[in-house]
Amino acid sequence: GTIVLAERLRDAVEARRFGAGQLPNPITISLGIFTPAEITDIEPEALIFNTAAVLRQAKAQGRNQILAN
C-alpha cells in the first residue's frame, strides 16, 4: 500500500533528470510514513507531528530513504 507508493515516488524522482543542464547527480527524496494504531484516536496536529518525526528519522539515516513507523 503506502510503502509501495512511496517507493514508486522515490524511484521516479531519482530517475528523473531536472533542469536544462541535466544535473550530474540525481535528485533524491526521503519520505516518512506514520500510521497511527487507531485513526479515530489521533488529532490532525498529532498526525503531522508524528509524521514529521518519522521523516526526520528517515533523513537522519541518509539520503533517498523511506521509513515507516
Side-chain angles (χ1 to χ4, degrees):
T2 306
I3 294 174
V4 171
L5 180 61
E7 285 288 352
R8 286 183 188 164
L9 178 61
R10 188 189 59 75
D11 288 343
V13 170
E14 185 178 21
R16 173 105 158 101
R17 299 293 179 203
F18 294 89
Q22 300 292 314
L23 298 174
N25 296 315
I27 292 175
T28 61
I29 60 172
S30 292
L31 300 164
I33 302 167
F34 174 74
T35 306
E38 294 291 329
I39 195 72
T40 58
D41 292 342
I42 192 161
E43 295 294 323
E45 295 82 9
L47 183 61
I48 293 168
F49 176 83
N50 288 305
T51 302
V54 177
L55 175 57
R56 284 191 297 277
Q57 290 174 345
K59 291 168 80 175
Q61 291 180 7
R63 296 177 183 221
N64 210 22
Q65 299 287 318
I66 294 175
L67 184 65
N69 69 322

